[in-house]
Amino acid sequence: MVRTDVPFYRSLPEEAIRNDVTAIVRRNLELFIAMLRTAREPTPSEVADLRVSAGHRAEELVPLAEILHAYHLGVQQWWASIAGLAGGGDGPALARAGQLLHTYLLAATSAVVAGYGSDHAPPSEDDGARRALLMALSSGADPAGAADRVGLTLARLYWVVALHVDPHPDEAAAGVDTAVAERRKVRRLQRELDNVGRDKALCAVTSSGGTVLIPIVDSEPTEGNWSDSPQYVALRRNLLDLERVIGAAVVTAVSAAAPTRIPGALVEAREVLEVARRHGHRTGLFRLQDVPVEYQLSRPSAAHAVLADLLSPLGSHESVLRTLEAYVDAGYDRAAAATALHVHPNTVAYRLRKLATLTGLDVSSPRDLVRVTAALAARRCAGSETLQA
């Protein structure tokens, strides 16, 4: 009924209606039924869910008038149901129910208005302090002085994380308000990063990604020996789970650095992220050691153009180039490349033979395989499309 009769609700993502809106309608019904039984007005703690839900709708730019319209429609529906059950002698009970319904609507309206007000309230001191420390550490300001100024404890080491987030399917769904879908995704992302960082993460994220500094609270790992540590394994598991939580593909790059070396580590993480995306990765978590060749070939050098030029004969043979990319990305597995391309493995074999004819590079030769892999990496890095972290 709400989605049918309240115009703005028709632009909300299906997931929002199915989960958030359905849950808050159920909560309202539970509270009113309890009120009918006890004749007691809900307490502030009992309507806290209504206040929080309203704050989320405010964040998604749902007009307050539309929220209140939805509540009034719900009350009308409840009253129609109550009146339909009343008999000839139920006048006093019906009057009592009407009075309680009015009292409940006032309590619910107050909670909703409070939720909208709190959503637009100034950020908490802790939120502001964390943002200020993130900016200071990222810019190379004195770490200890910055932490003292904002009243936060400086960690000995931070996970330095750069993220790229793809659009959620709701953002492209017909009839769905894109801004609402984006804000829902950002809220889920921020909440999950706070969980990963035990509410101490320093975050600057938007709907397309951003940067995060997560304090390392344990005595291990060390700055130069973290890649195989249990702490990194746990972080990797949590960051890979972001995709499931927010419902959109996520590519992540990670490093670790002491506070004074965060600016350099952040530059490196962003570059690793860009390299991973440029080389076709649309999901996953990467360290520099995961893409060392691709990263090195993204650095300017005299050999860069020479390597890229090895594949110039493929300029008019796109199917061969796409097959080479799939073959390399699949770890030189022809069957996996065929699956990725939706062709028969024999087609992959034929195109790789054509590659050898056109370029003189035979992927069955170990020497040529190294050259063709480097050439493809150089070509990708020299591409005209600039990817943003």
Side-chain angles (χ1 to χ4, degrees):
M1 180 188 69
V2 168
R3 196 169 197 179
T4 301
D5 296 342
V6 183
F8 194 89
Y9 275 70
R10 291 196 289 272
S11 69
L12 290 179
E14 179 64 32
E15 178 266 338
I17 297 295
R18 186 173 60 252
N19 295 325
D20 293 10
V21 175
T22 298
I24 205 62
V25 168
R26 183 181 298 114
R27 179 57 177 158
N28 273 282
L29 186 56
E30 291 170 350
L31 289 172
F32 180 60
I33 290 173
M35 190 174 177
L36 287 175
R37 290 172 176 166
T38 64
R40 178 181 58 80
E41 183 177 344
T43 65
S45 63
E46 289 173 331
V47 296
D49 290 341
L50 280 58
R51 186 168 60 251
V52 171
S53 175
H56 291 164
R57 301 295 80 78
E59 181 182 292
E60 293 161 5
L61 302 184
V62 179
L64 176 57
E66 300 287 79
I67 298 291
L68 296 178
H69 185 190
Y71 271 82
H72 281 265
L73 282 176
V75 167
Q76 289 176 12
Q77 184 69 26
W78 292 353
W79 178 247
S81 298
I82 292 170
L85 295 172
D90 290 333
L94 197 59
R96 172 178 170 273
Q99 183 178 2
L100 290 173
L101 191 58
H102 181 258
T103 301
Y104 181 79
L105 181 58
L106 290 175
T109 299
S110 296
V112 168
V113 172
Y116 264 65
S118 63
D119 183 76
H120 296 290
S124 69
E125 288 187 12
D126 182 63
D127 289 340
R130 286 197 279 169
R131 279 195 296 274
L133 184 57
L134 171 62
M135 292 179 62
L137 293 176
S138 302
S139 66
D142 171 49
D148 286 343
R149 283 194 298 273
V150 299
L152 294 178
T153 301
L154 199 65
R156 66 175 186 86
L157 209 63
Y158 287 86
W159 296 118
V160 180
V161 182
L163 305 120
H164 174 83
V165 182
D166 273 356
H168 188 282
D170 285 338
E171 293 173 46
V176 171
D177 189 299
T178 301
V180 172
E182 288 179 348
R183 284 174 174 80
R184 290 178 61 78
K185 181 179 71 177
V186 171
R187 190 171 70 241
R188 289 193 295 268
L189 177 61
Q190 182 72 61
R191 183 173 61 238
E192 192 63 17
L193 290 171
D194 281 341
N195 290 338
V196 173
R198 304 176 189 177
D199 292 325
K200 296 184 183 299
L202 313 178
C203 302
V205 294
T206 67
S207 63
S208 61
T211 56
V212 188
L213 301 180
I214 300 175
I216 299 177
V217 298
D218 300 323
S219 58
E220 296 290 340
T222 61
E223 186 175 10
N225 188 26
W226 55 268
S227 290
D228 299 317
S229 67
Q231 291 81 5
Y232 171 69
V233 171
L235 176 75
R236 177 182 176 84
R237 181 175 60 251
N238 290 329
L239 291 179
L240 288 176
D241 201 40
L242 286 176
E243 188 166 305
R244 178 190 62 80
V245 174
I246 70 173
V250 180
V251 188
T252 309
V254 177
S255 184
T260 57
R261 284 186 280 275
I262 282 176
L266 192 52
V267 169
E268 178 186 294
R270 288 170 175 163
E271 290 177 342
V272 168
L273 176 62
E274 182 176 344
V275 166
R277 294 186 61 226
R278 189 182 291 277
H279 284 267
H281 296 286
R282 293 294 174 263
T283 186
L285 185 147
F286 299 88
R287 304 157 299 173
L288 178 57
Q289 50 264 57
D290 295 319
V291 287
V293 173
E294 297 90 337
Y295 183 89
Q296 185 58 40
L297 287 170
S298 70
R299 310 297 92 184
S301 76
H304 194 278
V306 173
L307 283 169
D309 193 54
L310 293 176
L311 299 180
S312 59
L314 303 184
S316 58
H317 299 273
E318 185 176 350
S319 64
V320 178
L321 179 59
R322 297 287 84 80
T323 300
L324 173 61
E325 290 177 331
Y327 179 65
V328 172
D329 291 343
Y332 315 111
D333 185 323
R334 294 187 182 186
T339 299
L341 293 168
H342 307 291
V343 299
H344 194 278
N346 288 345
T347 302
V348 172
Y350 166 75
R351 292 175 180 172
L352 291 177
R353 287 196 299 272
K354 191 170 183 179
L355 166 74
T357 300
L358 293 168
T359 66
L361 297 169
D362 183 356
V363 295
S364 64
S365 162
R367 180 176 181 275
D368 280 358
L369 187 59
V370 172
R371 287 162 61 85
V372 80
T373 301
L376 180 60
R379 180 186 178 91
R380 282 170 160 174
C381 291
S384 60
E385 179 184 359
T386 300
L387 298 177
Q388 298 292 328

